[in-house]
Amino acid sequence: MGNKDGMNYAPKGKINRVVEPGAFNVGVTALDHGHINGMTNGLIEAGATIKYVYDPDAEKVANYLESFPDVTVAESLEQILEDPEIQLVAAAAVPNLRSALGNRVMRAGKDYFTDKTGFTTLEQLEETKKVVAETGKKYWVYFSERLHVEGAVFAGQLIEDGRIGRVIQVTGFGPHRLDKEKRPDWFFKKEQYGGILADIGSHQIEQFLYYTGNTDAKVLHSKVGNYNNPNTPELEDYGDATLIGDNGATFIFKVDWLTPDGLGTWGDGRTFITGTEGTIEIRKYINVATEQTGDHLFLVTKDGEEHYSLTGEVGFPFFGEMILDCINRTENAMTQEHIFKAQELCLKAQEQALNITAASL
């Protein structure tokens, strides 16, 4: 069976160390979301040394140490921030607290790597832009649905190689399993999680900008709703949006918390990419009713049809590129402008979304 628990989805890939042990030291904190395990896996596989972990909740620290037993438990966040050996702080805080933590980390002289979404308001984004300008530090966001999916990585390589010509349209589907009884209280409070388009929609918009080569786009329209969870009225269990990039490429995506219990993984995430000379479909986490494995990519060009099964074949180059960018102050993994633009657009989509509920249909 696939991984049915998206909350703790933590891919493991090839070991591809770009630095020697001890050459790039990381402190981990704010263990509020299980994505911190996937972030840690990616860093370790690329050669990072996780020197410290800290969270005020001892149970969360104990759970983290089950996966990463060699990490030293810090006595406080200050111990991490004051250690001159720490170059990067990785964190998965409650979403509306992520930017403030990042600002504090960067002002302490460290780069910052946060789970998505990095922001829940446009005001937070503007403040962090100022801190990045002041400090010269990097504010990384873990857009795992592209960076930690081998099919999505390979799609980018095919596009870069010109296999489908110029990308003119992307369609994204990001369904997730709710696992309601396992979720913390903050998950159901909009001020804290930011809304569905700001949260899991951030993955989608980042992919659109990347695959189409856009540096800016407009949100044409967006919608959110609570269709199936009346007892948690602030939870948006559905959202969709349409965008157009500055180069004319268009984007339609939908995200939801409605994955049926019978699916063998936490969500049937798919991306469809149309180019002037071919098409790509990525079936990220499962090939429904056919194979429980993920990372399937279907390529169609003038030369015919191809199916790639990519698990264990491509790896996750982002993490090594990120480490080298932190060391060399380069922007090869992802530019700061790209990260901020993806976040800006998902926040705008959220802010202007029409709220539709089942009762209003």
Side-chain angles (χ1 to χ4, degrees):
M1 294 290 283
N3 187 328
K4 298 192 79 163
D5 181 3
M7 190 166 36
N8 293 303
Y9 182 67
K12 292 185 178 180
K14 296 179 177 180
I15 303 299
N16 184 24
R17 296 187 180 94
V18 299
V19 288
E20 294 300 314
F24 188 79
N25 295 291
V26 177
V28 171
T29 191
L31 311 179
D32 295 289
H33 197 295
H35 282 169
I36 194 65
N37 292 332
M39 297 161 69
T40 301
N41 283 339
L43 285 163
I44 290 173
E45 288 160 8
T49 299
I50 310 300
K51 185 172 180 181
Y52 294 122
V53 61
Y54 171 73
D55 191 283
D57 185 332
E59 183 180 350
K60 289 179 180 147
V61 173
N63 290 337
Y64 184 83
L65 292 175
E66 285 183 16
S67 298
F68 308 103
D70 298 332
V71 179
T72 299
V73 179
E75 294 180 5
S76 64
L77 177 58
E78 286 74 20
Q79 184 180 350
I80 294 173
L81 297 182
E82 292 169 8
D83 185 335
E85 290 189 351
I86 295 294
Q87 290 142 287
L88 177 78
V89 173
V94 175
N96 68 324
L97 305 178
R98 288 172 182 168
S99 61
L101 174 58
N103 296 343
R104 184 177 174 190
V105 166
M106 292 186 293
R107 285 178 169 139
K110 323 292 185 188
D111 294 319
Y112 179 62
F113 183 32
T114 178
D115 188 19
K116 65 76 216 155
T117 179
F119 309 92
T120 55
T121 68
L122 287 164
E123 290 75 19
Q124 289 175 357
L125 173 60
E126 289 309 310
E127 175 66 19
T128 291
K129 284 182 177 180
K130 291 176 185 174
V131 177
V132 166
E134 288 167 14
T135 63
K137 295 301 172 185
K138 295 179 181 290
Y139 191 102
W140 298 101
V141 176
Y142 179 53
F143 295 115
S144 57
E145 290 186 25
R146 179 173 71 82
L147 304 175
H148 233 157
V149 173
E150 288 179 285
V153 174
F154 188 61
Q157 295 171 359
L158 290 173
I159 291 166
E160 191 174 339
D161 290 343
R163 293 291 300 279
I164 63 168
R166 178 167 56 92
V167 175
I168 62 162
Q169 209 282 330
V170 178
T171 300
F173 297 128
H176 288 59
R177 175 168 285 123
L178 183 55
D179 281 328
K180 200 168 190 177
E181 68 285 350
K182 298 179 184 177
R183 299 285 178 177
D185 289 346
W186 61 258
F187 182 87
F188 302 99
K189 297 176 181 175
K190 190 170 179 182
E191 182 181 352
Q192 291 183 279
Y193 79 88
I196 193 169
L197 299 178
D199 180 24
I200 52 179
S202 62
H203 288 296
Q204 297 291 326
I205 290 175
E206 189 279 328
Q207 288 173 90
F208 167 65
L209 294 176
Y210 175 74
Y211 289 137
T212 60
N214 271 295
T215 57
D216 203 356
K218 293 182 177 65
V219 179
L220 300 182
H221 61 80
S222 53
K223 305 185 288 294
V224 297
N226 180 322
Y227 285 90
N228 201 41
N229 292 277
N231 63 336
T232 50
E234 291 187 45
L235 175 70
E236 295 165 353
D237 58 23
Y238 177 85
D240 65 39
T242 303
L243 287 78
I244 183 166
D246 276 5
N247 67 8
T250 66
F251 183 42
I252 302 167
F253 76 89
K254 67 108 177 169
V255 287
D256 65 63
W257 292 104
L258 301 168
T259 291
D261 288 345
L263 187 73
T265 189
W266 54 268
D268 182 17
R270 300 195 185 197
T271 304
F272 300 82
I273 305 169
T274 300
T276 53
E277 297 173 28
T279 62
I280 291 170
E281 179 190 349
I282 314 162
R283 300 181 189 175
K284 294 182 176 179
Y285 309 113
I286 194 169
N287 195 4
V288 172
T290 305
E291 294 156 294
Q292 289 289 318
T293 57
D295 289 304
H296 294 275
L297 184 145
F298 299 86
L299 172 68
V300 183
T301 67
K302 62 179 172 45
D303 298 319
E305 309 161 6
E306 296 176 68
H307 169 214
Y308 297 87
S309 184
L310 295 161
T311 300
E313 298 296 319
V314 181
F316 306 115
F318 166 79
F319 297 92
E321 292 170 353
M322 177 177 70
I323 288 170
L324 293 176
D325 280 348
C326 290
I327 292 170
N328 300 321
R329 313 317 291 171
T330 49
E331 287 197 315
N332 296 316
M334 190 182 290
T335 68
Q336 189 68 78
E337 183 182 4
H338 173 82
I339 293 167
F340 284 157
K341 183 56 65 173
Q343 293 278 206
E344 174 195 323
L345 291 167
C346 75
L347 291 166
K348 286 182 174 177
Q350 183 69 52
E351 192 175 70
Q352 70 188 55
L354 177 66
N355 196 319
I356 300 174
T357 65
S360 68
L361 296 178

